[in-house]
Amino acid sequence: MAPNGPRKGAGPSTRNTRASNGLKPARGGISKRRSNAAAKIDRDGDLDMDAPAANRSSRKQKRDDSIPTAPRSSRPAANGSRAPRPTAKAQQIIQRVIGGTSGNVSTRLANGMAGGGRAPKGGRQVNGANTMTLKVEGLMSSKAAQNEGGGLKELLNFLERKAQSIAKTTRPIRIKKSHINGDFVYITTSKEDGEDILKANGFTFAGTPLHITDTSATEDQALSSDAAGIKENLCNVLSVRYDPNAKLLNLSALGDDAILNQIGFFSSGSKPEKLFRALMAVCDGLFKTPQEKRDAVVSVSLANNNVDDVSQITSLAETFPDLVNLDLSQNQFKDLKALRKWQHRLMKLETLLLNDNAIEASSPNYKAELVTWFPRLQNLSGLQVRTPEQVAAELAARRPKPIPQHGADFRDISGIGEGFIKEFIGMYDADRNSLAVKYYDDQSTFSLAVDMTCLASSNTQRSSWNGYIKFSRNHTKITHLGPRIQRMFMGTHLIQGAWQQLPPTRHPDLATEFNKYMIDCHPVHGLPDPTGQNPGGMDGITITMHGEFQDQEPGSLITATRSFSRTFVLGPGAPGRNPIRVISDMLSLRNHSAPATSVPAPVPAPAVQSSEELQKQQMMVELSKQTGMNSEYSKFCLDGANWNFDQALASFHEKRAQLPAEAFAAMP
């Protein structure tokens, strides 16, 4: 029989309350607390004998003296007084109970799946595979039981502090959940913390020894038989609703399912999310491999379940990430926010039905947005949004490809570019000060950017960037204007000062090792005239040089090989100085990798192997570029997705908050 509410006129229950002198309160009349009756309790719940007997102000004493110990119905109300009002939180709780809006399954799933997209905090599951439930005995017989709140807070603080002291660890011990049941206190904590709390068994709390036992195994054994019966019933539900010919799992209108109603699922107080998690868990157990699951289930229908947010059915996307067809019609989706959690999921979805949902009227342009979420989507609510040819073209465009190289494009003007490059390489290695004086003036600029996300060749040892990182102006890392300006060196003297602090280098000989370079040269117009006689600007050239060099760390003298790209803008010099000057010099450094040139490699690897390795390397580079992860974690992510780029990208967006800081490229 369900418990009834309190009788009319009854006040709050006094079942677990005690007077300050340890006696039960009288049923009628008004009793006053004595000023010396409240004893001071220390953090462990023990009686503090040195505390003063009375330490309250006269105002607080007057207020305490008026506290009744009997129900309000047994005493007359004062003339002109007003009954105390319940708090806002109490009003909300009462309204949920009376109005039936507390998420009861019988009102949600039996009539469909109504309710908000997120379960209330108090209803979320705390117990799990990595938690432990402990039973603590001794609180009710301790002196702390007389405290406000029954001494529960003092007991929890005592257990956390004592367990940390016994374990001799700096790691804080945390109790996640607790409640009193009869003479026992049940606490839920992690297994690691639970093992340490068990060591406090037998310690004295507030004058009473504690007895702590682990009840997790007992609860699991009691639930095992019931869980087996539920699993069998859910298997029957899935078997009835599965069409092997169409490869369709029909989970529509679950509130009308005869088996679920027969086992009383909708009256057991279970949440709708729990039902879907249980169904998906059973589905996972039916298939041995992901490929077997993909072959067996191509389409799923969740129509007519009154779902209003995909967070209620998020386990579907986890169990069937490669789903092709999904029916969500006749539900309660009102806007795109209700679908947002699936933006980076179900990347192979081709058909999505949202007919008879409120989103059709409230968000008329929702289709244009959903097309961008699902790259393979072709049929949206019965309308074709892409053709198979368009899907293939878009997917091909998204796959990472190497930049096509057709050899150097060197369009020089009177041999100026060639002469500059030959002289620059030798002087930069041997005499940087003279190089700066000859080609750079007060308006010349130099900047350096370090890109540590690029993959290094397999035979190249990774080296430190300490000699360069403080000068790096990489805009993806340096995002504020002030530091960007500080790392732009303008004028001969500032450029000389920066070059003197950079490690010494040795470039390959341009004449004998030209295959280690790729150099482009193009004319450019509209450069500033140092004399000011040509408002329209002067002609010049821009040179882009890709190659490698060796440097030596000043402290350790370790030699490292690095790849670089350097872009020069050359223009006419000022009168009385060198006829050619460097207007802009931008140097970009990265981990060493073999240059992609038109010169054939000496002995190529087997075609299949080299092509596969190259494709994997390109995928790692692209994933690192899009996510900001370093090459090591990019490889881990792709390995976990069986080198499926789209799935690896979706997995990154899903697990991004759980990744450690070292998973991302180091900030300069």
Side-chain angles (χ1 to χ4, degrees), residues 603-615:
V603 181
V608 175
Q609 181 179 0
S610 63
S611 176
E612 181 180 355
E613 293 299 325
L614 179 61
Q615 184 179 7

Side-chain angles (χ1 to χ4, degrees), residues 495-545:
I495 294 174
Q496 285 178 327
W499 283 0
Q500 289 176 359
Q501 299 181 61
L502 296 178
T505 58
R506 187 181 71 83
H507 290 72
D509 184 71
L510 191 60
T512 60
E513 299 178 280
F514 186 77
N515 63 325
K516 294 185 178 180
Y517 293 95
M518 177 176 287
I519 306 175
D520 292 340
C521 179
H522 302 276
V524 62
H525 309 287
L527 298 177
D529 182 7
T531 64
Q533 298 178 359
N534 297 291
M538 303 286 289
D539 293 339
I541 57 176
T542 177
I543 300 174
T544 302
M545 177 169 56

Side-chain angles (χ1 to χ4, degrees), residues 11 75 218 225 259 264 296 301 303 329 331 406 441 466 479 603 642 657:
R75 59 187 179 89
T218 306
S225 59
I259 299 178
S301 174
S329 59
N331 282 290
H406 303 288
D441 61 14
N466 293 337
T479 57
V603 181
N642 294 325

Side-chain angles (χ1 to χ4, degrees), residues 103 107-109 111-119 272-273 276 302-314 328-342 354 356-359 362:
T107 61
R108 292 186 65 188
L109 261 178
N111 296 321
M113 300 235 345
R118 184 181 295 271
E273 295 86 350
F276 278 104
L302 290 174
N304 195 21
N305 277 309
N306 213 18
V307 182
D308 63 3
D309 195 290
V310 294
S311 61
Q312 299 168 354
I313 52 175
T314 185
L328 294 177
S329 59
Q330 299 180 15
N331 282 290
Q332 300 297 325
F333 295 105
K334 298 179 181 179
D335 48 33
L336 287 170
K337 183 179 179 181
L339 301 167
R340 183 73 62 180
K341 289 185 179 295
W342 279 2
L354 286 168
D356 299 328
N357 278 275
I359 191 174
S362 61

